[in-house]
């Protein structure tokens, strides 16, 4: 399947966001380091990959699929895309103003990694960050009502592929960092190089929402 430059750029953005989410310690890689240190085995670092990935994937899917279901509405497509961009932008502004982590997350035990990953990704708006890109890939149907179900299925499939690709890149990047910290860099590296990513994360939400609004305005009616 050949991709035009615009579509290829959107898929590359999905990968880039996967790397960014993987680098963010809030998405869970410090838990992989802690698990390795607790068990004193390399495999314990990688054992966290499956539950963290499942929770993150679920958080992506529950946000992206509903928006993808709306993408087939031709008459409202531009408004939906613009509204989604504004939603992401507004959430980014909120995260920039209020950087406190929800207290209920502290009550989720680390043993429930999948549930923790889902809640953390949802609370940080990780899925929302991908909404403008996903809507750009879910082109609305223009072939009449007889093609409605096919277009609907295509949009949902695209949203799921975005979630899968993004999660695979995210967990691969995160686990790689966790293993490097556990095996080579050590906890002193975290203490010396740690910096607060909350403001950068909020800014990336704002940028993502702004780009989504711009793409919606630039899209043909």
């Amino acid at each position: 399947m050949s991709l035009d430059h615009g579509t290829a750029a959107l898929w590359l953005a999905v990968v880039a966001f996967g790397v960014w989410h993987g680098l963010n310690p809030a998405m869970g890689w410090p838990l992989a380091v802690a698990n390795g240190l607790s068990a004193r085995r390399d495999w314990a670092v990688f054992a966290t990959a499956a539950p963290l990935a499942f929770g993150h994937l679920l958080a992506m899917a529950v946000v992206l699929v509903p928006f993808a279901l709306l993408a087939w509405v031709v008459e409202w497509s531009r408004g939906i895309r613009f509204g989604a961009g504004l939603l992401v932008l507004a959430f980014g502004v909120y995260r920039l103003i209020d950087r406190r982590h929800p207290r209920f997350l502290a009550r989720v035990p680390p043993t429930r990694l999948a549930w923790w990953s889902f809640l953390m990704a949802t609370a940080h708006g990780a899925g929302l960050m991908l909404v403008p890109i996903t809507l750009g890939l879910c082109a609305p149907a223009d072939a009449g009502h007889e093609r409605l179900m096919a277009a609907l299925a295509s949009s949902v499939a695209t949203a799921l592929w975005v979630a899968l690709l993004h999660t695979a890149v995210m967990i691969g990047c995160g686990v790689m960092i966790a293993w490097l910290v556990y095996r080579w860099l050590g906890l002193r590296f975290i203490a010396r190089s740690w910096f607060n990513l909350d403001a950068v994360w909020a800014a990336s939400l704002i940028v993502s929402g702004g780009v989504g609004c711009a793409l919606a305005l630039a899209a043909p009616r």
Side-chain angles (χ1 to χ4, degrees), residues 122-194:
T122 302
H124 282 74
L128 284 176
M129 198 179 291
L130 289 170
V131 167
I133 298 172
T134 303
L135 290 181
L137 290 169
C138 294
D142 56 0
H145 294 290
E146 67 278 3
R147 299 288 298 277
L148 176 59
M149 294 308 297
L152 201 60
S154 176
S155 294
V156 173
T158 298
L160 292 176
W161 275 114
V162 168
L164 282 168
L165 176 62
H166 166 82
T167 300
V169 175
M170 185 280 296
I171 204 66
C173 184
V175 170
M176 180 185 68
I177 294 173
W179 185 79
L180 288 174
V181 171
Y182 166 77
R183 197 77 175 90
W184 303 104
L185 300 176
L187 294 180
R188 288 185 180 180
F189 170 79
I190 299 179
R192 291 176 180 176
S193 61
W194 191 268

